[in-house]
């Protein structure tokens, strides 16, 4: 056992944003239901990504959201950390020795269009040419250029509630914005969605709507404590989507989307797309297979994109 769990105390790190604290509350409820005799300590860690207001590329991509928490985890100050799966960098972009120990049930994966308070409802098709659409994701910016070339994507930063307040105040630097529906629901702001963008044409980010709890790879005690919290179907979806990104050598600065689904028979389907940041035609692939092999199915989806020409868009070599 680690010193803290041996003493009946389990330390978990999380970002302090309202959205992060809501998902931490869901983890806390699940953990206490399985381990009522272990004291749970929530440690708030302000990430470099929370403090930086410029493009994430300037500070190393989305690893800026996990770097400080990873350091706390690896040096033993924490037993686990909580994060949105879409914000967790791949294994090639972070310190070794960290693994996913639990995966909570997936929430809604869809993105939504958000308008300023008091603005009449509208869809992306109905917005006038030149409308500035705020987003922090290369994926969303590339989708806008490909599907709605009359609109202008502009970069925005900040937590969801901060961006919403700035949008309403007219200080966001954008006329409207794209946000994750799951995030708005966590903040009780889902009614602000003017249009829900269906994933059949607006593919979500890999890991969208999934909360993961990570721990040190060699901490078998924590692994055992977290394992009962995992929602098995969501773990299959996450493993498939991450395998696709790994095949593409993709990270948060990659304009790529992956969406895995399970049908009633337990068959796994992975839809993947690599987007042209300049707005050209996207490349798409689909792979299907058994849920028992999510990594294999996801990897095939990624390989098919590479062989279809995605290497040119991604700047990687086969």
């Amino acid at each position: 056992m680690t010193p803290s769990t041996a003493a009946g105390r389990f330390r978990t790190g999380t970002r302090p944003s309202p959205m992060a604290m809501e998902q931490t509350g869901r983890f806390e409820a699940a953990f206490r239901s399985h381990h009522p005799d272990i004291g749970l300590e929530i440690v708030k860690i302000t990430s470099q990504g929370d403090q930086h207001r410029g493009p994430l590329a300037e500070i190393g991509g989305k690893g800026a959201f996990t770097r400080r928490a990873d350091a706390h985890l690896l040096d033993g100050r924490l037993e686990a950390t909580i994060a949105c799966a879409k914000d967790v960098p791949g294994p090639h972009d972070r310190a070794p020795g960290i693994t996913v120990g639990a995966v909570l049930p997936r929430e809604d994966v869809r993105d939504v269009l958000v308008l300023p308070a008091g603005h009449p409802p509208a869809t992306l098709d109905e917005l006038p040419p030149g409308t500035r659409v705020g987003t922090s994701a290369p994926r969303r910016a590339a989708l806008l250029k490909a599907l709605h070339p009359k609109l202008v994507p502009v970069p925005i930063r900040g937590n969801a509630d901060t961006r919403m307040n700035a949008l309403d105040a007219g200080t966001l630097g954008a006329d409207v914005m794209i946000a994750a529906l799951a995030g708005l629901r966590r903040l009780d702001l889902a009614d602000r969605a003017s249009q829900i963008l269906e994933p059949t044409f607006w593919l979500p980010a890999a890991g969208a709507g999934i909360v993961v709890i990570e721990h040190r790879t060699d901490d078998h005690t924590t692994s055992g404590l977290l394992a009962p919290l995992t929602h098995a179907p969501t773990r299959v979806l996450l493993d498939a989507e991450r395998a696709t990104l790994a095949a593409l050598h993709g990270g948060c600065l990659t304009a790529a989307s992956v969406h895995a689904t399970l049908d009633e028979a337990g068959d796994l389907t992975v839809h993947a797309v690599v987007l042209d940041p300049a707005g050209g035609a996207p490349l798409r692939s689909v792979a299907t297979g058994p849920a028992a092999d999510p990594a294999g199915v996801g990897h095939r989806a990624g390989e098919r994109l590479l062989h279809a020409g995605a290497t040119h868009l991604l700047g990687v070599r086969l």
Side-chain angles (χ1 to χ4, degrees):
M1 281 192 175
T2 58
S4 63
T5 51
R9 182 166 60 96
F10 191 92
R11 301 163 300 184
T12 306
T14 182
R15 292 165 60 192
S17 71
M19 189 184 302
M21 293 310 299
E22 189 281 337
Q23 65 192 28
T24 298
R26 288 189 288 115
F27 160 73
E28 184 175 5
F31 186 89
R32 292 190 189 283
S33 71
H34 284 88
H35 310 295
D37 298 329
I38 297 179
L40 185 60
E41 179 182 345
I42 304 300
V43 181
K44 297 179 182 180
I45 302 171
T46 300
S47 73
Q48 188 180 8
D50 292 316
Q51 295 174 320
H52 184 72
R53 289 293 169 257
L56 284 179
E58 296 178 351
I59 53 174
K62 64 184 174 183
F65 290 118
T66 60
R67 204 169 293 126
R68 287 177 181 168
D70 286 354
H72 282 61
L73 188 59
L74 291 171
D75 68 13
R77 284 178 282 177
L78 298 172
E79 277 64 64
T81 58
I82 305 170
C84 294
K86 68 180 182 62
D87 294 331
V88 175
H92 300 297
D93 298 320
R94 70 191 310 197
I98 297 174
T99 191
V100 173
V103 179
L104 300 188
R106 185 168 222 169
E107 300 174 86
D108 203 310
V109 302
R110 295 173 295 179
D111 282 343
V112 297
L113 171 65
V114 180
L115 308 179
H119 192 289
T123 66
L124 287 171
D125 285 330
E126 294 168 339
L127 295 175
T131 298
R132 299 171 301 166
V133 182
T135 175
S136 59
R139 169 186 63 91
R140 290 170 176 159
L143 280 167
L144 280 167
K145 290 178 181 179
L147 301 176
H148 302 277
K150 68 176 183 178
L151 306 178
V152 181
V154 296
I156 57 174
R157 286 296 318 282
N159 295 325
D161 54 330
T162 302
R163 283 178 285 171
M164 189 80 74
N165 291 335
L167 177 67
D168 292 343
T171 59
L172 184 63
D175 305 306
V176 300
M177 71 179 190
I178 303 292
L181 180 55
L184 295 186
R185 284 179 173 163
R186 290 174 192 164
L187 298 173
D188 199 25
L189 294 171
D191 61 335
R192 292 296 307 272
S194 178
Q195 179 189 12
I196 296 177
L197 305 173
E198 293 301 329
T200 51
F201 71 95
W202 185 280
L203 258 64
I210 299 176
V211 174
V212 296
I213 298 87
E214 297 187 297
H215 64 89
R216 291 184 299 280
T217 305
D218 61 359
D219 185 352
H220 303 297
T221 297
T222 294
S223 176
L225 292 173
L226 293 177
L229 279 60
T230 286
H231 184 249
T234 300
R235 181 65 194 247
V236 169
L237 300 177
L238 177 63
D239 288 349
E241 292 175 4
R242 294 184 79 170
T244 303
L245 276 190
L248 296 172
H249 304 275
C252 73
L253 303 180
T254 302
S257 299
V258 189
H259 184 218
T261 58
L262 280 169
D263 64 19
E264 294 181 357
D267 293 322
L268 176 67
T269 300
V270 177
H271 293 267
V273 60
V274 171
L275 300 143
D276 183 351
L283 296 173
R284 296 178 180 268
S285 74
V286 180
T288 60
D293 184 27
V297 179
H299 188 77
R300 284 197 297 277
E303 281 194 324
R304 288 172 182 174
L305 283 172
L306 292 177
H307 289 289
T311 49
H312 173 69
L313 297 177
L314 295 166
V316 301
R317 297 179 180 178
L318 288 172

